Amino acid sequence: MQARGPLMVEHRLIERMLGLIKVALAEIRLSGKVDPVFVDTAVDFIRMYADRTHHGKEEDILFRELKKRDISADDRRIMNELIEEHKFGRKTTKALVDANTRYRNGDKTALAVISSSLQTLVEFYPVHIVKEDKVFFPASRTYFTDEEDQAMLAEFMEFDRMMIHEKYKSLVESLEKPK
Ligand SMILES: [Fe+2]
Ligand SMILES: [Fe+2]
C-alpha cells in the first residue's frame, strides 16, 4: 500500500458521516428542531477523526515532508489552500459547538447557526476531498521515492497508534483540572 492509501480510506468514512449529516439537515428542515446529542457525536467525529487523526497525518507528516522538498509553485499553492481549508473546517466546527451549547440552554435562534454550519461542512468538505484524492495526492507522490513513501506510511501507522492514548490522556487531564 502507498502512504496515501489510509488517507483515502479515511476520506471514504468522512463521506459517510457527511451523508448522515445531510439526513440530519433534512430532518431539521422538516421538524424545526435538532438533536443536540447528534451534533455532539458529529463534532466528536469531525474533531477527533477528521481533524486530529486525518488532517494530523496530512499536516504533521505529508505536508511537513513536502515543505522540505522543492515542489512546484502550483503544488505549493494547492497545499496552502488545503491548510486554509483545514482551518476553515475548525472555525466552522467551533461555531457549531457554540451554537449547540446555546441551543441546549434554550436559545432556539441557535438552530439557524447549527443548520448553516452543518450545511457549510457538507458542501465544502467533498470539494476538499476531491482536490486531495484526484489532484494533490497524485502530484505529491512524484516527490517521494518508494522508500520515502513507505517510511511515511509507517509514520502514519505510528501516528494512528498514538491517537487513542492522546485522546484519553487529555480526557483524564481535563477531568482532573479543578473546576
Ligand atoms: Fe485535508
Ligand atoms: Fe484529507
Side-chain angles (χ1 to χ4, degrees), residues 65-81 135-136 138-143:
E65 287 307 311
L66 286 167
K67 281 174 186 166
K68 293 179 193 164
R69 287 165 171 77
D70 187 22
I71 67 174
S72 75
D74 242 17
D75 291 337
R76 192 165 296 277
R77 179 183 52 78
I78 298 174
M79 183 164 72
N80 288 333
E81 278 173 20
V135 182
F136 192 71
S140 308
R141 183 63 187 82
T142 63
Y143 298 109

Side-chain angles (χ1 to χ4, degrees), residues 2-64:
Q2 298 191 23
R4 67 179 132 156
L7 297 178
M8 294 176 77
V9 168
E10 288 164 10
H11 284 165
R12 303 293 79 79
L13 193 65
I14 292 168
E15 285 167 347
R16 286 165 65 187
M17 178 49 99
L18 295 174
L20 294 169
I21 293 175
K22 273 190 194 158
V23 172
L25 273 167
E27 282 168 6
I28 293 171
R29 261 177 236 120
L30 271 178
S31 67
K33 52 188 191 291
V34 68
D35 176 7
V37 176
F38 172 79
V39 177
D40 284 342
T41 308
V43 164
D44 179 64
F45 179 90
I46 294 163
R47 284 193 161 159
M48 213 38 230
Y49 187 78
D51 197 37
R52 188 70 194 103
T53 306
H54 178 78
H55 297 160
K57 288 198 286 299
E58 290 174 351
E59 292 186 2
D60 298 358
I61 301 170
L62 175 63
F63 296 179
R64 177 202 70 203

Side-chain angles (χ1 to χ4, degrees), residues 11 14 50 54-56 58-59 63 82-83 85-86 125 128-129 132 136-137:
H11 284 165
I14 292 168
H54 178 78
H55 297 160
E58 290 174 351
E59 292 186 2
F63 296 179
L82 294 172
I83 293 169
E85 286 163 13
H86 292 170
Y125 223 103
H128 179 84
I129 285 176
E132 290 181 340
F136 192 71
F137 290 168

